[in-house]
Amino acid sequence: MDSKRLEKLLDLYFDQGLTESTNLELDQMIQSSEEVRLAFWKRARLHGMLRHQMQEQLGSTPIPNTEISDQTVEPASRTSQSRSRRWLIAIAAIAACLLLFVGIHTAFTDIETPPRNGTQTASNDSVAVANPDIVSEASDDERENDPSGSPRGPWVAFLRNSIDAQWGDHGTARRVGESLAAGRLTLKSGLIEFQTNRGAVVVVEGPADLDLVDDMEIRCRQGQLTVNAPPPAQGFLVRTESVDVVDLGTAFSMQVDINDDARIHVIEGEVDLVSPSDDAATSSLVNVAKRRLGKGESVEVESPGNYRDIEISDRLTNSKSRTQSITSSFDEINRRLWKHRRTEVAQDPSCLVYYDFSRETEPQTSDLILPNRAKTAADGSDGTIIGCDWTDGRWKGKHALDFKSLSDRILLSVAGRHNQLTCIVKIRVDALKEGSTPILMSRSMLARGLHWSIETTAENSSVARLVWRRNSESTASLPQEFSTKPILRDEQMGTWMQLAFVWNSDKGELQQFVDGKIVDTQWVETSGNSPTGELDLRDLQIGNGSPTVMEADMRPSNLCGRIDEFVLFGRELAPHEIQAFHNLGRSYWTSNGRDGDWEDADNWSDGISPNPGDDLYINHSGAEQAKYKAYVKANYGAIHVGSFSGQLGDLIIEGGVLNVDRNSSFMSRVGSSGGEGRLEQRGGDVRINTLQVGLDPGTKGQYVLQEGRLLLSRAPLLKKYSLSIGDNGGEGVFVISDGSIVTRQGVVLGRRGGKGAFRVLGSKADAISIGSFGAGDGEWYQGSGCTLDARIDDGGVTPIQVDEADGDGSEGANVTFCPGSLLDVGFLGESQSGSWDVMTWKGTLSDEGLQFAPTVDTEVWSFEFVDTNQSGAMDTLRVTARPPHKD
Amino acid sequence: MTDPTITRTRTHNEEVAALFLKHSSRIRGMILSMQPDFARADDVLQETFLTVSAKSEQFKFGTDFLSWVYQIARYKVLEDRRRSGKTTEQLSIASIESLLATGSGLLDDPQEERVEALKGCLTKLSPKARQAIELRYAREHPASEIATVLRWTVDSVYVALSRARSLLAKCINEDLRSKGVTI
């Protein structure tokens, strides 16, 4: 066997470079020799590992783009379709199974997880789609994430409305406008309204558990329903355990509780109540109606056939007003959240244009002008409204502009050329028009201009792509074009969406987003001598591409729909920022209220207390630090202390209960993105998913646990740590002097070039249990230059226990000390002599070079790994202090 | 401290899903060996998972999980092949079958140490070699695109990638040997 030749052929195979003849050659070699086959598998193993490893690193060690951006780019040169989305879907499917476990957990908490995507805040994590760290983000709401996804089964209804709906584990549609397949649907709280293909409108108030059998039948296990059946849906059937209700063409409401008791009230017309039969075949409508119920009548059915007339219940009769009341409170929440975010957006120094479509502040403003709310708005960047009627936006009281006719548009112009641009628009497209629906268009064929539109596909006008084009530097070249797959469907029309794109000419990369989710990433390979891919934002128009201003040979096109928010940033927003924009779910500590009081709303941005699920940002310190001692029922998404570059954040937890694990994939951070964060826990119970202390270059983070309990309840998918100290070039310190820390999985010091220290001060801490919570094993990984610091007091030192929680003897609970990892040790009080166990573990030890820190007096101190149970494997790290020399 | 809702017994389907996740890197390695196109391999991985999930009841604990999954993955690769047609980039079905008959067990060797060694060895590559590897494996560029980016010829990209792999293989083996791991 010519091993060199074989190696070459194998590599050509893995690099997809085989020709017909080399393919044949390799085929013959493989089939004729076992040795070749073994060599194949060795190479295949390396190939697979490299793929896996590199995907893990993507996002943590960005590939320098300088070379790419310096090089070739011919305008409209070959664009490379990113596979990231496909990978996202693939891994999301895999991650979905993990959610089986996560779901178990979230069901346990009293506030449920809404469908919402992760907020991955470190800038380096922005390549979200391929970073397994945040894979589970994608899987949070896999179905929702996939705007192109069609229902899995035959669809029987579509979602008309959804008000603060907290979905359970079942149901195929999560967004208004999407189809609902036959099957189970669970709703934990909130309201949804769906309409079946036969026209029956069903309002469901959670908690509810239903089966959509088909477009004429549902089975209700629990919940409150109002059914309005127009003539085509006459005979619509709602089955329950105790009664089947047949709508004879009008409206009724009913309530089914978990004991199978059903209460039915007829609002209009009549219904028949039929006892259900055990035999499905005979339980159809041929059964004799046991009771016909007329308008205004109400009965309770505790068991089949047992009908009892009841007084009309407010709850049953007032479902419409209840719906309205819930709707208005939902609108109120939305309005508050949006106002809160509006200020943040306007203050962002990179915000070039912000049209909030608000009319409340300047009623006298001409209807022709759309003021640019950006703090740094340039002169002349207000929008000019041509045509367009004012109308309602996403909620009552929110204004929007309605685009209908060929002349309707907003004109705007921003000076300068822009290497990076993010555009986010809140839009309701009322109908997919065959051809193009313009969103944002440069006037004429302006060099470096852009054209962003929704375009139906040639084959099927009920699905559409988002298409983004950039004009070249000269009209001689074709525009660069970036087109998503067909991701927008007819059913989504008439509903509000958030569309966004992010252009980064340095990377030659364009990303497009729908409702905060990335739907496409493509890039152009650029070259050194090519123009830079700047954008010219002069003479733009929103919602129109008609030939009155475009080149005469352009087809007229205009938007039929509404827009109620539009923003341009002169920078590349990370995917998590786009998601956050969609979520409206961030609260910033402002310290404008009472002295550090968490519960004083004035201390939070816009005077609004954080909502459940929010990401909290604390970037004030000293006299402006935040203090927590409450028993807030809200479970937050994540806490970020010291997350702004160059700023210091300080949070003191004095007591109470603080839960920050509402979304399984969110990570809380103390010190990130170049900021400095300090969290001091002086008491209370704190529960956090995964904690990163000191993340990103130039960052310092410190968590000081002085008393109370800290539980780190999760680990990122496919990762083994719940606590990471010093990560991605950052510096982090974790100090424990009392109380306890319990984690679900491991502790990592010095991940991805970070520098971390773990300090145990004395013997007062009750427990340092790594991997003791839930399933999954602990792990201790200490990188080079990272420090384990143990200070001995009169009682010794609390040992760090690395547990194998499930006791299954599997591979976990291992301890690794990398070369040059440091052990620091000393006394808190008076010097003593003796031996103390600093760490114990149940797995295996991998000591590649733990050594004393330079400050340790090695005349006094020594350390050793000990096999305490004579198992043949070391299980304890022990330090010993000799009595001082007596000269 | 325990959480009863988390430590409750997992269902059979959940256990199978967890096993799949645990071994997903190996399963993907297996698929990549039969389908070198990353994107298509990822699609096959996804479909394999969906099938494994749907058929989880067929798997009995105590039997060989990976060989069961490999069978499904193999079928999915062949199905993908039928759909998209064979290209010169792919091996013949006869070759794939003979490969599966011998040696695929190598993928099942414990990988943790190997992965750790790989991480260390990657840092020892020359900057250019590492960049080529990154462009290939992280950014999924085919050789022709790497050639454009790095201003090399396509052939020199193939050579660079091949050399980088050989260096990595050697480095990993040395690393493992030094730690007393049987290779």
Side-chain angles (χ1 to χ4, degrees):
Chain A
M1 181 181 72
D2 179 349
S3 59
K4 282 280 166 210
R5 178 70 185 160
L6 174 63
E7 206 161 81
K8 184 179 174 187
L9 290 176
L10 288 174
D11 282 325
L12 278 174
Y13 167 65
F14 290 121
D15 290 324
Q16 298 172 265
L18 287 178
T19 60
E20 207 162 319
S21 61
T22 48
N23 184 301
L24 193 63
E25 190 184 350
L26 180 60
D27 251 336
Q28 285 168 349
M29 287 169 91
I30 287 173
Q31 287 174 48
S32 59
S33 158
E34 185 161 347
E35 202 181 338
V36 169
R37 293 195 283 274
L38 284 172
F40 174 95
W41 284 114
K42 282 184 180 169
R43 211 62 165 184
R45 179 171 62 188
L46 177 63
H47 183 62
M49 276 167 49
L50 273 166
R51 171 74 172 140
H52 190 75
Q53 181 59 22
M54 283 294 160
Q55 275 215 318
E56 273 203 24
Q57 286 186 3
L58 187 63
S60 58
T61 50
I63 294 162
N65 284 294
T66 47
E67 295 227 9
I68 299 174
S69 58
D70 289 338
Q71 303 187 14
T72 39
V73 159
E74 293 173 28
S77 73
R78 205 151 46 85
T79 58
S80 301
Q81 174 73 44
S82 164
R83 276 69 181 253
S84 56
R85 184 174 143 66
R86 287 216 264 177
W87 165 242
L88 169 74
I89 295 168
I91 206 69
I94 294 163
C97 69
L98 252 218
L99 289 184
L100 293 171
F101 313 128
V102 173
I104 293 163
H105 175 77
T106 47
F108 172 70
T109 57
D110 52 5
I111 300 163
E112 302 300 344
T113 305
R116 113 178 209 170
N117 203 357
T119 305
Q120 193 69 17
T121 50
S123 53
N124 56 310
D125 284 336
S126 62
V127 191
V129 285
N131 186 345
D133 262 1
I134 48 175
V135 151
S136 51
E137 284 186 24
S139 61
D140 277 340
D141 38 8
E142 179 206 16
R143 285 166 294 210
E144 188 190 22
N145 272 353
D146 181 8
S148 63
S150 52
R152 281 150 178 74
W155 64 278
V156 298
F158 80 98
L159 194 62
R160 275 166 61 112
N161 204 355
S162 162
I163 301 165
D164 203 18
Q166 304 280 307
W167 290 87
D169 299 331
H170 303 276
T172 51
R174 297 293 170 102
R175 269 203 304 258
V176 170
E178 284 195 345
S179 305
L180 281 163
R184 192 165 171 190
L185 181 158
T186 52
L187 187 68
K188 289 168 178 167
S189 64
L191 275 181
I192 58 164
E193 179 182 274
F194 62 84
Q195 184 167 26
T196 71
N197 294 347
R198 292 284 285 271
V201 176
V202 182
V203 178
V204 183
E205 186 177 341
D209 186 351
L210 312 173
D211 281 333
L212 299 184
V213 179
D214 58 33
D215 54 10
M216 283 295 283
E217 180 179 332
I218 57 180
R219 177 179 297 277
C220 177
R221 294 184 194 84
Q222 187 197 356
Q224 176 158 346
L225 315 175
T226 302
V227 177
N228 195 331
Q234 221 175 70
F236 189 83
L237 172 65
V238 181
R239 292 185 187 276
T240 74
E241 281 298 310
S242 53
V243 64
D244 291 349
V245 184
V246 185
D247 191 309
L248 299 177
T250 56
F252 67 94
S253 58
M254 63 186 292
Q255 195 184 346
V256 181
D257 63 29
I258 47 174
N259 302 320
D260 300 329
D261 291 355
R263 280 170 286 280
I264 300 110
H265 171 73
V266 178
I267 301 165
E268 272 303 327
E270 293 176 322
V271 299
D272 278 344
L273 306 181
V274 184
S275 290
S277 163
D278 290 340
D279 180 356
T282 59
S283 66
S284 63
L285 302 184
V286 297
N287 277 2
V288 178
K290 294 285 171 57
R291 174 81 185 262
R292 178 161 290 190
L293 217 57
K295 178 180 176 181
E297 286 185 284
S298 305
V299 299
E300 183 174 63
V301 190
E302 286 181 353
S303 57
N306 182 7
Y307 304 121
R308 188 165 68 86
D309 289 294
I310 54 170
E311 289 295 311
I312 299 169
S313 142
D314 282 352
R315 192 172 162 81
L316 280 172
T317 52
N318 292 344
S319 63
K320 191 170 179 185
S321 60
R322 275 179 57 72
T323 306
Q324 280 166 348
S325 148
I326 293 173
T327 307
S328 81
S329 82
F330 183 67
D331 283 353
E332 174 60 17
I333 290 171
N334 256 339
R335 190 186 65 77
R336 288 177 1 148
L337 288 173
W338 176 73
K339 282 184 76 173
H340 170 171
R341 189 195 62 205
R342 183 174 64 167
T343 312
E344 298 294 331
V345 173
Q347 296 292 324
D348 188 320
S350 71
C351 182
L352 301 171
V353 172
Y354 183 34
Y355 300 145
D356 64 359
F357 293 74
S358 135
R359 307 180 80 196
E360 63 211 40
T361 46
E362 297 126 17
Q364 75 282 9
T365 306
S366 159
D367 269 357
L368 300 178
I369 299 298
L370 199 55
N372 181 359
R373 310 282 185 197
K375 188 183 168 190
T376 54
D379 287 344
S381 57
D382 288 344
T384 303
I385 303 167
I386 314 278
C388 297
D389 294 324
W390 283 99
T391 182
D392 287 334
R394 278 166 285 169
W395 56 86
K396 197 170 161 44
K398 175 83 188 78
H399 298 289
L401 281 175
D402 196 12
F403 297 73
K404 280 198 292 282
S405 82
L406 262 178
S407 59
D408 290 348
R409 77 200 66 194
I410 299 165
L411 302 179
L412 72 145
S413 198
V414 181
R417 292 185 183 172
H418 302 268
N419 273 318
Q420 297 186 3
L421 188 74
T422 298
C423 175
I424 304 176
V425 59
K426 296 284 187 179
I427 189 170
R428 193 185 92 177
V429 181
D430 288 335
L432 262 187
K433 293 166 62 171
E434 199 173 328
S436 171
T437 295
I439 307 169
L440 181 66
M441 312 288 272
S442 286
R443 186 168 165 168
S444 79
M445 293 302 288
L446 176 74
R448 303 178 192 85
L450 71 96
H451 303 252
W452 191 32
S453 56
I454 297 168
E455 295 185 8
T456 54
T457 64
E459 316 78 55
N460 183 354
S461 60
S462 65
V463 291
R465 309 167 186 274
L466 276 173
V467 181
W468 192 93
R469 295 185 185 89
R470 176 185 169 275
N471 288 342
S472 304
E473 278 62 24
S474 80
T475 49
S477 309
L478 287 170
Q480 293 162 342
E481 179 174 312
F482 302 85
S483 173
T484 67
K485 290 178 183 171
I487 49 167
L488 300 172
R489 301 191 311 278
D490 237 355
E491 306 95 272
Q492 286 169 279
M493 299 304 114
T495 63
W496 284 96
M497 297 184 284
Q498 175 181 293
L499 304 180
F501 73 76
V502 178
W503 167 250
N504 183 330
S505 70
D506 298 330
K507 297 181 192 166
E509 182 179 80
L510 184 88
Q511 297 172 299
Q512 300 197 71
F513 300 79
V514 176
D515 287 344
K517 313 286 191 302
I518 194 161
V519 293
D520 194 62
T521 305
Q522 294 182 48
W523 69 91
V524 179
E525 307 303 353
T526 57
S527 74
N529 52 7
S530 80
T532 59
E534 291 169 329
L535 292 172
D536 189 332
L537 304 179
R538 289 173 301 164
D539 294 332
L540 285 165
Q541 49 182 354
I542 299 171
N544 204 302
S546 74
T548 51
V549 289
M550 303 294 288
E551 296 298 307
D553 56 356
M554 295 287 285
R555 247 180 103 181
S557 60
N558 63 301
L559 164 69
C560 275
R562 300 174 180 190
I563 291 177
D564 80 353
E565 199 170 14
F566 177 90
V567 57
L568 289 177
F569 293 96
R571 67 179 170 101
E572 176 189 21
L573 261 67
H576 69 84
E577 292 180 282
I578 308 265
Q579 180 67 52
F581 197 96
H582 183 63
N583 287 348
L584 293 168
R586 284 182 165 208
S587 289
Y588 295 85
W589 180 261
T590 60
S591 190
N592 291 332
R594 282 192 309 274
D595 179 32
D597 185 352
W598 184 281
E599 291 179 281
D600 181 2
D602 285 342
N603 273 322
W604 295 94
S605 39
D606 277 321
I608 300 168
S609 289
N611 285 288
D614 274 3
D615 277 8
L616 313 180
Y617 289 79
I618 296 167
N619 287 293
H620 289 72
S621 60
E624 296 185 335
Q625 69 192 2
K627 291 178 191 161
Y628 185 95
K629 56 180 171 189
Y631 291 82
V632 176
K633 201 179 170 194
N635 190 352
Y636 302 111
I639 287 188
H640 304 258
V641 183
S643 63
F644 285 176
S645 181
Q647 289 192 24
L648 184 62
D650 216 341
L651 168 63
I652 296 179
I653 298 168
E654 296 174 331
V657 174
L658 179 60
N659 288 322
V660 194
D661 64 349
R662 172 157 161 153
N663 189 311
S664 63
S665 60
F666 284 23
M667 299 194 208
S668 288
R669 288 164 177 161
V670 180
S672 63
S673 307
E676 189 171 339
R678 183 181 155 87
L679 197 161
E680 197 172 298
Q681 185 178 349
R682 298 177 181 166
D685 279 325
V686 178
R687 178 172 173 138
I688 292 173
N689 277 333
T690 304
L691 180 63
Q692 292 177 309
V693 183
L695 174 75
D696 300 332
T699 295
K700 288 183 178 170
Q702 190 173 24
Y703 195 115
V704 181
L705 178 50
Q706 297 177 346
E707 206 171 325
R709 291 186 291 185
L710 171 63
L711 169 61
L712 302 177
S713 60
R714 295 199 177 94
L717 184 63
L718 301 177
K719 297 289 177 193
K720 292 181 176 175
Y721 66 88
S722 295
L723 172 61
S724 172
I725 307 167
D727 197 334
N728 192 37
E731 287 181 34
V733 181
F734 185 93
V735 185
I736 177 167
S737 55
D738 203 336
S740 67
I741 173 175
V742 178
T743 70
R744 186 184 189 94
Q745 292 209 256
V747 173
V748 181
L749 276 65
R751 196 167 163 263
R752 300 183 296 182
K755 198 166 177 185
F758 194 105
R759 299 206 171 108
V760 185
L761 305 183
S763 59
K764 286 187 185 153
D766 299 322
I768 305 170
S769 301
I770 312 298
S772 304
F773 176 73
D777 298 328
E779 192 92 20
W780 178 272
Y781 180 92
Q782 187 171 335
S784 302
C786 295
T787 307
L788 167 59
D789 187 345
R791 299 285 141 174
I792 317 292
D793 64 13
D794 296 345
V797 65
T798 306
I800 298 167
Q801 294 171 313
V802 183
D803 269 349
E804 187 197 34
D806 49 10
D808 61 357
S810 60
E811 302 153 358
N814 301 324
V815 170
T816 303
F817 296 104
C818 291
S821 51
L822 301 173
L823 176 61
D824 201 348
V825 65
F827 293 110
L828 277 179
E830 291 190 5
S831 298
Q832 312 166 47
S833 59
S835 291
W836 298 272
D837 290 349
V838 172
M839 184 184 290
T840 64
W841 54 90
K842 296 199 173 146
T844 55
L845 166 70
S846 172
D847 176 32
E848 296 161 11
L850 178 68
Q851 61 194 59
F852 271 131
T855 49
V856 175
D857 183 354
T858 49
E859 294 292 313
V860 175
W861 291 98
S862 62
F863 73 86
E864 62 185 327
F865 296 107
V866 187
D867 176 9
T868 58
N869 57 5
Q870 283 81 48
S871 65
M874 304 300 175
D875 55 34
T876 297
L877 168 61
R878 184 171 291 166
V879 295
T880 301
R882 286 183 287 274
H885 282 293
K886 288 179 183 168
D887 296 326
Chain B
M1 191 181 306
T2 56
D3 182 333
T5 58
I6 288 178
T7 54
R8 75 153 175 73
T9 310
R10 295 188 292 204
T11 65
H12 181 83
N13 191 30
E14 287 166 349
E15 293 282 7
V16 170
L19 266 180
F20 191 95
L21 257 179
K22 186 178 170 192
H23 295 294
S24 61
S25 150
R26 284 169 198 172
I27 298 163
R28 181 161 60 179
M30 156 76 178
I31 292 168
L32 272 174
S33 64
M34 296 186 283
Q35 171 52 276
D37 182 300
F38 290 144
R40 281 174 66 183
D42 281 348
D43 287 349
V44 171
L45 178 68
Q46 179 195 10
E47 289 188 16
T48 304
F49 172 71
L50 294 175
T51 303
V52 164
S53 259
K55 297 188 171 177
S56 64
E57 291 307 321
Q58 294 178 7
F59 174 69
K60 291 187 175 52
F61 285 100
T63 61
D64 186 345
F65 177 72
L66 276 177
S67 78
W68 177 62
V69 174
Y70 286 173
Q71 281 302 319
I72 292 170
R74 169 183 158 273
Y75 175 76
K76 291 289 170 193
V77 168
L78 297 180
E79 195 179 66
D80 175 65
R81 173 85 68 94
R82 270 196 299 277
R83 244 191 337 255
S84 317
K86 180 185 182 298
T87 67
T88 57
E89 296 168 5
Q90 294 167 331
L91 295 175
S92 70
I93 289 175
S95 280
I96 287 180
E97 299 289 11
S98 67
L99 282 166
L100 289 174
T102 46
S104 66
L106 271 182
L107 290 179
D108 302 342
D109 288 347
Q111 286 200 336
E112 284 70 22
E113 284 143 328
R114 202 167 281 278
V115 168
E116 280 311 308
L118 171 65
K119 285 181 194 166
C121 293
L122 278 169
T123 64
K124 294 177 187 165
L125 287 180
S126 71
K128 281 286 175 194
R130 182 169 167 89
Q131 196 173 16
I133 288 280
E134 280 178 334
L135 287 166
R136 174 81 187 108
Y137 285 97
R139 295 293 287 259
E140 308 177 13
H141 285 279
S144 56
E145 288 180 355
I146 300 174
T148 310
V149 172
L150 299 179
R151 292 191 198 161
W152 297 352
T153 65
V154 176
D155 278 339
S156 58
V157 172
Y158 287 132
V159 171
L161 286 170
S162 185
R163 275 196 195 141
R165 284 197 199 95
S166 297
L167 283 171
L168 287 171
K170 193 169 163 224
C171 171
I172 291 170
N173 285 345
E174 281 169 3
D175 188 84
L176 292 178
R177 254 190 223 109
S178 73
K179 291 176 186 159
V181 178
T182 319
I183 300 166

